């Protein structure tokens, strides 16, 4: 019978005897190490030694191991044919199994070094939590799916036929015409810069013309929105386009002014050595401006890193995602946010507990809409635009969700605006002798003004709720920075951000502006 075939048994016995001799030899070199330490130590240094020992070990038993593996497979086949059982621990892969059975003896140490639990504070950030993240997604889908089904069963589908298109939108043609005329301002700035580079107009005249152009570029849309009674969404869209246009204009003007200053300050002897750079500075053409005005960036430069080609299939997949998430965002607004807002009183008029309950009830759907907006705009739309233009630098955001302070969040959340502020506002303030704290305050003030313009102007209400909300970030920055210094590696600032900015702040602003708009409509009637 196969099990009584003496050559295989003899080879296995020989291999085991040789292995024992090899282990005794190693124990003689390193007597203080256990058998398990030599072969199965989990530390990095022990792994290295094990690999080195394994190489010498394998060199000595390479031929025997191959023969024993083949013999073991043959024995399995013969045993299957004869209907007999094989002890897997004795025969499997010949000498390899004998090594494992001999090395990890009952007397081998199972605990060799100090280790933290995976969820302890010292080790929690040293490993992946992808499984827990997947669990959270599954739980969120299950819980919110049940809530959506329950809402549909109780109230039905609340989305009306005017959700995607309304006849009132046809009356917003003045705003559409205003949006189509916005490219006139970059064209004016280009003409002024061309004349400045050709030294046909002086610097004071250039600065005056640019101030008039940029001021008109932001006041003209404000006047059009206030002049005509339009849908709030149309006004918000126009103001966003106008603000982006203004930021791009300022970057174009500031960058060209700086390049002219470099050329003028270059000494005559250095100009010959930097002739190529001077030619580069003078290469301000119309095509570079056009590309900049449509590119997903707010910082002007003559050339940008470009990709080799356009991935058409990738663009199509992102467009499908954009349509799906936009529809989901609209569904949440119509099915959840609108009913909650319509059935609530003014948060500053009435019982404070009622206001807190309304804000907390509105916070979850509002948070979902905000996250969908971030994903649709900063990830999908800007990446689609970058792919179509072959724009290489696609760092439109960083991991702002891990920010430990409010200041860190504002540096990570919106990278195009952050780069613009650092380049054209923060460092110019520092170069002019303004302290760092004052420069940060100026940056928040400018951000608050533009947030107020984008919300208050389309709503025709100037109560500065958005302005106050952004400026309230300044004391939160101070508080979270203090907590970060006091509690190292603390997530207190991140929790404060999620609570005040997303859970409490945004729902409160939605309620305030909604009731102010409704009260304004009632008074006008």
């Amino acid at each position: 019978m196969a099990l009584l075939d003496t050559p295989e048994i003899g080879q296995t016995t020989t291999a085991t005897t040789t292995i024992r001799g090899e282990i005794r030899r190693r124990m003689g070199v390193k007597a203080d190490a256990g058998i398990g330490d030599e072969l199965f130590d989990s530390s990095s240094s022990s792994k290295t030694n094990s690999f080195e020992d394994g190489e010498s070990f394998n060199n000595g038993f390479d031929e025997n191991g191959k023969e024993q593996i083949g013999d073991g497979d043959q024995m399995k086949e013969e045993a299957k044919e004869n209907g007999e059982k094989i002890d897997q621990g004795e025969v499997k892969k010949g000498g390899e199994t004998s090594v494992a059975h001999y090395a990890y003896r009952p007397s081998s140490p199972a605990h060799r070094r100090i280790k933290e639990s995976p969820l302890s504070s010292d080790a929690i950030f040293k490993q992946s939590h992808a499984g827990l993240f997947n669990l959270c997604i599954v739980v969120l889908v299950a819980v919110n799916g049940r809530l959506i089904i329950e809402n549909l069963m109780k109230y039905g589908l609340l989305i009306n036929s005017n959700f995607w298109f309304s006849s009132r939108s046809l009356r917003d043609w003045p705003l559409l015409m205003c949006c189509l005329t916005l490219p006139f301002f970059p064209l004016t700035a280009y003409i002024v810069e061309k004349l400045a580079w050709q030294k046909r107009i002086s610097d004071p005249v250039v600065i005056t013309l640019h101030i008039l152009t940029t001021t008109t570029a932001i006041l003209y849309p404000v006047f059009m929105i206030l002049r005509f009674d339009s849908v709030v969404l149309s006004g918000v869209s126009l103001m966003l386009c106008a603000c982006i246009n203004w930021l791009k204009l300022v970057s174009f003007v500031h960058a060209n002014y700086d390049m002219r200053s470099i050329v003028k300050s270059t000494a005559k002897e250095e100009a010959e050595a930097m002739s190529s750079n001077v030619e580069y500075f003078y290469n301000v053409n119309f095509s570079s401006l056009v590309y900049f005005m449509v590119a997903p960036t707010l910082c002007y430069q003559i050339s940008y890193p470009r990709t080799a080609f356009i991935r058409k299939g990738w663009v199509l997949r992102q467009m499908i995602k954009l349509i799906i998430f936009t529809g989901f965002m609209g569904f949440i607004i119509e099915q959840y946010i609108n009913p909650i807002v319509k059935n609530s009183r003014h948060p500053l008029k009435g019982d404070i507990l009622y206001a807190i309950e309304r804000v907390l009830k509105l916070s979850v759907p509002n948070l979902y809409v905000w996250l969908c907006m971030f994903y649709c705009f900063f990830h999908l739309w800007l990446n689609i635009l970058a792919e179509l233009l072959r724009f290489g630098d696609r760092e439109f955001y960083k991991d702002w969700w891990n920010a430990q302070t409010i200041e860190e969040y504002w540096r990570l959340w919106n990278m195009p605006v952050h780069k613009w502020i650092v380049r054209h506002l923060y460092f110019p303030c520092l170069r002019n002798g303004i302290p760092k704290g004052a420069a940060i305050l100026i940056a928040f003030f400018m951000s608050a003004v533009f947030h107020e313009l984008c919300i208050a102007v389309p709503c025709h209400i100037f109560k500065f709720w958005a302005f106050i909300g952004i400026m309230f970030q300044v004391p939160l920055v101070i508080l979270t920075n203090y907590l970060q210094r006091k509690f190292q590696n603390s997530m207190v600032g991140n929790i404060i951000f999620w609570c005040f900015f997303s859970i409490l702040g945004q729902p409160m602003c939605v309620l305030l502006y909604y009731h102010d708009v409704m009260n304004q409509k009632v008074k006008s009637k």
Side-chain angles (χ1 to χ4, degrees):
M1 295 177 63
L3 290 178
L4 299 178
D5 195 2
T6 55
E8 285 79 2
I9 297 175
Q11 289 174 2
T12 306
T13 307
T14 303
T16 305
T17 305
T18 312
I19 292 168
R20 291 176 178 174
E22 178 68 16
I23 293 176
R24 290 193 189 98
R25 183 185 65 81
R26 294 182 199 169
M27 292 178 65
V29 176
K30 186 179 177 181
D32 59 341
I35 297 174
D37 290 334
E38 283 291 326
L39 297 178
F40 293 93
D41 194 353
S42 59
S43 63
S44 59
S45 60
S46 299
K47 286 180 181 178
T48 305
N49 295 332
S50 298
F51 292 149
E52 295 175 355
D53 295 340
E55 291 179 0
S56 60
F57 184 80
N58 290 332
N59 291 334
F61 300 100
D62 188 28
E63 297 180 358
N64 290 334
K66 291 180 180 178
E67 293 177 0
Q68 291 164 16
I69 291 172
D71 294 337
D73 294 338
Q74 183 179 0
M75 293 170 64
K76 288 181 181 179
E77 294 176 359
E78 294 177 358
K80 288 181 180 178
E81 294 176 357
N82 296 329
E84 298 181 5
K85 296 182 180 180
I86 299 177
D87 186 359
Q88 299 294 333
E90 293 290 340
V91 182
K92 184 179 180 182
K93 290 188 180 180
E96 292 182 2
T97 304
S98 300
V99 173
H101 275 252
Y102 183 82
Y104 205 78
R105 297 293 296 270
S107 59
S108 300
H111 307 281
R112 301 181 181 88
R113 59 191 178 93
I114 298 174
K115 297 179 182 179
E116 294 288 343
S117 298
L119 294 180
S120 62
S121 58
D122 294 333
I124 191 170
F125 296 113
K126 297 179 181 179
Q127 55 190 322
S128 173
H129 298 86
L132 294 177
F133 180 75
N134 293 334
L135 174 63
C136 292
I137 293 178
V138 171
V139 172
L140 285 175
V141 171
V143 172
N144 290 281
R146 184 193 67 81
L147 292 177
I148 290 174
I149 294 174
E150 182 181 354
N151 182 274
L152 292 174
M153 293 175 61
K154 187 175 182 179
Y155 301 104
L157 190 63
L158 300 179
I159 300 178
N160 52 42
S161 59
N162 295 329
F163 173 68
W164 295 106
F165 180 79
S166 175
S167 59
R168 188 184 174 189
S169 301
L170 297 175
R171 299 200 300 266
D172 290 340
W173 64 267
L175 273 64
L176 177 61
M177 296 303 298
C178 176
C179 187
L180 295 177
T181 56
L182 289 179
F184 169 79
F185 300 102
L187 179 61
T188 303
Y190 169 77
I191 295 174
V192 173
E193 280 300 320
K194 206 67 176 178
L195 295 175
W197 279 105
Q198 295 174 359
K199 298 181 179 180
R200 296 186 179 181
I201 52 179
S202 61
D203 281 348
V205 176
V206 172
I207 295 174
T208 303
L209 291 176
H210 281 318
I211 291 175
L212 292 176
T213 302
T214 53
T215 304
T216 308
I218 195 66
L219 292 182
Y220 169 57
V222 172
F223 171 79
M224 294 296 292
I225 294 174
L226 296 179
R227 174 66 176 80
F228 298 96
D229 184 18
S230 61
V231 180
V232 174
L233 184 60
S234 300
V236 171
S237 301
L238 177 59
M239 281 307 305
L240 287 175
C241 292
C243 291
I244 293 173
N245 186 63
W246 186 88
L247 294 172
K248 286 177 177 283
L249 272 176
V250 172
S251 180
F252 174 75
V253 171
H254 198 182
N256 278 277
Y257 176 82
D258 186 56
M259 286 189 288
R260 288 200 310 273
S261 301
I262 293 175
V263 173
K264 291 179 181 179
S265 62
T266 303
K268 188 175 181 179
E269 59 275 7
E270 295 178 354
E272 296 179 357
M274 297 179 59
S275 58
S276 59
N277 290 333
V278 174
E279 291 176 359
Y280 174 80
F281 288 148
Y282 272 93
N283 189 21
V284 181
N285 51 39
F286 185 70
S287 61
S288 64
L289 175 61
V290 173
Y291 184 86
F292 166 64
M293 295 306 298
V294 295
T297 180
L298 299 176
C299 295
Y300 173 77
Q301 58 193 59
I302 296 174
S303 62
Y304 296 92
R306 305 287 293 274
T307 56
F309 54 89
I310 299 174
R311 298 171 293 176
K312 298 179 181 179
W314 184 87
V315 171
L316 179 61
R317 290 193 298 270
Q318 304 308 308
M319 288 294 297
I320 295 174
K321 291 181 183 179
L322 182 63
I323 295 173
I324 293 174
F325 278 93
T326 303
F328 181 67
M329 185 165 50
F331 172 80
I332 295 177
I333 292 174
E334 289 290 316
Q335 195 73 23
Y336 290 92
I337 294 181
N338 280 351
I340 294 175
V341 172
K342 290 179 181 178
N343 296 328
S344 62
R345 297 193 299 267
H346 197 285
L348 300 182
K349 299 177 181 178
D351 189 5
I352 185 172
L353 293 179
Y354 174 82
I356 294 175
E357 187 272 336
R358 290 286 94 181
V359 169
L360 293 178
K361 188 174 183 178
L362 187 60
S363 62
V364 176
N366 183 84
L367 178 60
Y368 287 162
V369 170
W370 183 67
L371 292 176
C372 286
M373 180 275 301
F374 162 77
Y375 184 72
C376 288
F377 182 76
F378 285 95
H379 183 73
L380 294 177
W381 171 245
L382 291 184
N383 273 287
I384 290 172
L385 187 61
E387 186 70 23
L388 294 175
L389 296 173
R390 294 171 45 214
F391 188 83
D393 186 4
R394 303 183 184 183
E395 191 183 48
F396 306 121
Y397 58 91
K398 293 184 179 180
D399 57 336
W400 54 267
W401 45 86
N402 293 327
Q404 297 185 7
T405 63
I406 299 296
E407 182 182 1
E408 185 180 2
Y409 159 75
W410 285 109
R411 291 200 307 266
L412 304 176
W413 140 258
N414 188 342
M415 293 307 297
V417 172
H418 171 70
K419 291 177 181 178
W420 188 95
I421 290 178
V422 170
R423 189 188 194 204
H424 301 290
L425 185 64
Y426 180 73
F427 277 107
C429 288
L430 296 182
R431 283 193 293 268
N432 285 277
I434 298 177
K436 179 180 178 181
I440 294 176
L441 185 62
I442 292 173
F444 273 101
F445 177 82
M446 181 178 175
S447 177
V449 169
F450 275 91
H451 277 80
E452 183 69 21
L453 286 176
C454 291
I455 299 176
V457 172
C459 294
H460 298 258
I461 294 174
F462 295 94
K463 292 192 175 181
F464 301 100
W465 300 124
F467 180 86
I468 295 173
I470 298 299
M471 293 305 295
F472 184 70
Q473 304 295 309
V474 176
L476 289 180
V477 167
I478 299 174
L479 174 62
T480 53
N481 286 340
Y482 168 76
L483 294 175
Q484 176 64 16
R485 290 191 301 268
K486 185 176 180 61
F487 306 100
Q488 295 296 326
N489 296 325
S490 173
M491 297 300 291
V492 176
N494 186 265
I495 296 174
I496 292 176
F497 152 69
W498 283 113
C499 290
F500 284 93
F501 189 78
S502 300
I503 305 301
L504 300 177
Q506 291 187 18
M508 178 65 74
C509 286
V510 170
L511 289 175
L512 289 172
Y513 276 105
Y514 172 81
H515 285 286
D516 288 339
V517 171
M518 291 297 102
N519 293 335
Q520 187 183 44
K521 290 183 177 180
V522 171
K523 291 180 181 179
S524 62
K525 293 180 181 179

